[in-house]
Amino acid sequence: MQDFDFDLFVIGAGSGGVRASRIAASHGAKVAVAEERYFGGTCVNVGCVPKKLFSYAAHFHDDFADSAGFGWTGATKATFDWPTLVRNKDIEIKRLNGIYKSILDNNAVTIYESRARISGPNSVVVDGQTVTAKYIMVAVGGWPWVPEFPGSDYAVSSNEIFELEQLPERIVVLGGGYIAVEFASIFARLGVETHLVYRRDQLLKGFDDEVREFITAEMSRDMTLHMSDDITQIDKNNNELQVKLQSGGEIRADLVMAATGRRPLTSDLGLDNVNVQLSSTGGIEVNDDYQTSEPSIYAVGDVIERMELTPVALAEGQLVARKLFAGANQALSYDNIATAVFCHPNISTVGLSEQQAESAGYQVDCYVSQFRQLKHTLSGNAEKSFIKLVVDQESDRVLGVHVVAPDAGEVVQGFAVALNCGATKADFDRTIGIHPTMAEELVTMRTKR
Ligand code: NDP
């Protein structure tokens, strides 16, 4: 039998790669990881974690304004200092980088802090030497992608936003997906004059149509939305950016952020030395076991373009490690994976939208409610909340739960368990609510839309 330097060589120490390494090592495998940039990947460094910290910062805007109706004075005079936020965020991210590295160290994983390139089905070149492994796992993630148009180089991506030295006074955000909606919300609440340009008429393609309509209306109270529009050109005049729109309009701004999607980071990885099939966007094609068309090479996380979510990458990495080194043979279900968009108010959803349910052939009943939170009876805040249940008429199973409300993700996580257990509308109905909460609405909806 052929001897290898390692049982598993993982390229990329992000969510999926670190989880796979740790689990593989815990089952006795000899593991190495190569990471050329930062430990923890996108999520820890330029994604979920710092974004959520920025989102907390933005929420204080409403908290201060809301407090007056409850008898507090002076809070609305609070001022915001962006460099303090960025500095404190950096300290926390550095701490997390250290934790990720120590997870690898504590599991006796060999770390190469440099770029690895695949040189054959069982070999990589790293630090100028060839290293062999029985299995190779590609977990390199993705990178922001910006369309090309005149002046598109002036646009920054979410990566640069985390390092901005100064908060702009005026920003234009291009796109209507997760990142665009979240950052536009954050900037607007931090006091930046915010414009969002999106080529469709409702934000967040792929979400339930009523959720899209609701959040589009909510967000339009905080910023200027340029819907069914696109940026055609950006010019720079001294320090001012002149953003030309397809509709003929022009916006003057200090910063343009393109949040137009991400692409797998598969170039210059040595994939042309092996038989790994790529999608048209450069993603790695894998089978249900995350095995590529080169049998010794696996891939997980954003690079396989299934669901670009940290918990999904963790689950994929763990599944492969257990399969290869513990003989486990589980499959990962992509059904009922809850997700949240941290805009204002938050959106969280699990299961099918009404439109997805109908396209899948279900006849559905929908229960919909729109209301003002109890808190806002005294705060005077005009923010509204929205909830929707999508129910299969035939089986009474709840197919989808959609919530647009503060901390929606905290609420929907528990309902994801219920949906995974096959909960019916009757199960929801016999559940006693917690009063007074927003979440009780989800178990007290009796009238079909
Ligand atoms: P998305 O795919 O969500 O959104 C990209 C947006 O850019 C879409 O609105 C898209 O329009 C638009 N777009 C694409 N190409 C062009 C173009 N040529 N011109 C104009 N607009 C364009 O990507 P994001 O970058 O927002 O996020 C990447 C992924 O990261 C998400 O899909 C999600 O899986 C993950 N993520 C998850 C978060 C969370 O869990 N909270 C937070 C942030 C990211 P259209 O809709 O018409 O295609």
Side-chain angles (χ1 to χ4, degrees):
M1 208 169 101
Q2 197 183 344
D3 272 347
F4 297 104
D5 299 324
F6 294 99
D7 297 310
L8 177 67
F9 194 103
V10 178
I11 308 180
S15 305
V18 170
R19 174 64 65 89
S21 302
R22 174 170 73 78
I23 301 289
S26 74
H27 289 295
K30 196 175 172 202
V31 182
V33 173
E35 172 56 61
E36 65 169 344
R37 197 168 293 113
Y38 28 50
F39 289 91
T42 300
C43 172
V44 165
N45 294 279
V46 285
C48 329
V49 174
K51 181 275 314 289
K52 187 91 191 262
L53 293 174
F54 283 11
S55 175
Y56 283 130
H59 271 101
F60 283 104
H61 172 275
D62 281 15
D63 294 341
F64 291 138
D66 290 350
S67 69
F70 292 88
W72 292 88
T73 52
T76 46
K77 295 196 189 81
T79 56
F80 172 68
D81 185 52
W82 172 259
T84 301
L85 174 64
V86 173
R87 194 170 54 244
N88 289 342
K89 178 268 296 177
D90 286 343
I91 293 169
E92 173 57 11
I93 300 310
K94 209 164 165 207
R95 188 183 74 84
L96 293 174
N97 294 147
I99 287 176
Y100 268 74
K101 189 160 183 289
S102 60
I103 289 172
L104 298 171
D105 285 336
N106 295 342
N107 284 281
V109 173
T110 302
I111 299 173
Y112 295 92
E113 291 196 44
S114 50
R115 186 169 189 82
R117 288 180 184 82
I118 295 171
S119 51
N122 298 98
S123 62
V124 298
V125 174
V126 60
D127 281 349
Q129 48 172 316
T130 297
V131 175
T132 60
K134 185 170 183 192
Y135 302 110
I136 296 169
M137 175 183 281
V138 182
V140 294
W143 201 250
W145 170 85
V146 180
E148 274 187 35
F149 52 81
S152 57
D153 286 348
Y154 291 124
V156 300
S157 74
S158 52
N159 283 358
E160 291 79 48
I161 291 289
F162 290 110
E163 299 306 325
L164 281 185
E165 285 178 10
Q166 277 186 333
L167 189 64
E169 285 180 18
R170 303 162 297 175
I171 190 168
V172 177
V173 177
L174 174 63
Y178 277 79
I179 296 179
V181 164
E182 289 181 338
F183 275 96
S185 277
I186 289 169
F187 280 115
R189 290 299 212 279
L190 292 180
V192 179
E193 180 192 311
T194 304
H195 296 259
L196 184 148
V197 180
Y198 183 38
R199 59 189 181 183
R200 297 181 192 268
D201 60 352
Q202 308 281 4
L203 298 167
L204 290 168
K205 182 187 74 173
F207 281 71
D208 187 275
D209 280 354
E210 280 177 290
V211 168
R212 298 179 66 193
E213 192 182 330
F214 182 81
I215 197 66
T216 305
E218 278 293 304
M219 287 186 54
S220 69
R221 296 193 293 110
D222 289 339
M223 64 191 75
T224 309
L225 298 180
H226 305 262
M227 306 303 289
S228 307
D229 212 342
D230 220 335
I231 298 181
T232 52
Q233 185 168 340
I234 306 174
D235 295 310
K236 191 166 186 181
N237 193 353
N238 295 320
N239 279 333
E240 188 177 68
L241 297 172
Q242 295 166 344
V243 181
K244 293 204 170 61
L245 301 179
Q246 204 169 54
S247 59
E250 184 179 292
I251 313 168
R252 290 171 186 245
D254 310 302
L255 191 69
V256 177
M257 173 189 175
T260 39
R262 299 172 59 85
R263 293 285 183 272
L265 261 177
T266 44
S267 62
D268 194 25
L269 254 192
L271 288 170
D272 41 351
N273 296 320
V274 284
N275 173 34
V276 169
Q277 269 181 16
L278 299 181
S279 71
S280 58
T281 44
I284 295 184
E285 306 271 10
V286 290
N287 63 17
D288 287 346
D289 293 327
Y290 305 97
Q291 189 177 31
T292 68
S293 39
E294 185 69 68
S296 56
I297 302 182
Y298 287 73
V300 299
D302 288 0
V303 78
I304 64 169
E305 300 178 301
R306 286 204 176 161
M307 275 183 120
E308 294 170 42
L309 300 172
T310 293
V312 172
L314 293 172
E316 292 168 348
Q318 178 162 310
L319 193 137
V320 174
R322 287 206 175 129
K323 185 176 168 59
L324 295 180
F325 302 109
N329 201 9
Q330 277 169 316
L332 178 65
S333 167
Y334 289 84
D335 295 336
N336 294 334
I337 293 178
T339 177
V341 188
F342 296 98
C343 49
H344 298 245
N346 292 177
I347 302 170
S348 188
T349 175
V350 60
L352 302 180
S353 68
E354 183 179 348
Q355 297 70 40
Q356 286 165 338
E358 282 171 353
S359 328
Y362 292 102
Q363 301 269 9
V364 294
D365 288 328
C366 290
Y367 298 79
V368 177
S369 174
Q370 223 184 92
F371 53 95
R372 203 169 172 207
Q373 302 257 347
L374 174 63
K375 181 181 176 186
H376 296 323
T377 56
L378 295 201
S379 73
N381 191 326
E383 181 181 272
K384 288 211 206 93
S385 298
F386 173 89
I387 55 177
K388 176 169 179 175
L389 297 182
V390 181
V391 179
D392 175 27
Q393 277 177 5
E394 194 183 334
S395 66
D396 196 41
R397 257 183 52 227
V398 179
L399 302 173
V401 175
H402 307 272
V403 176
V404 191
D407 291 322
E410 308 292 347
V411 174
V412 168
Q413 182 69 84
F415 282 94
V417 179
L419 262 62
N420 272 325
C421 295
T424 59
K425 180 65 170 61
D427 292 324
F428 276 52
D429 292 346
R430 69 185 170 84
T431 302
I432 307 290
I434 303 171
H435 187 69
T437 62
M438 178 279 293
E440 71 178 316
E441 293 284 327
L442 284 162
V443 294
T444 54
M445 298 214 280
R446 300 286 185 264
T447 314
K448 291 176 199 167
R449 188 198 52 209

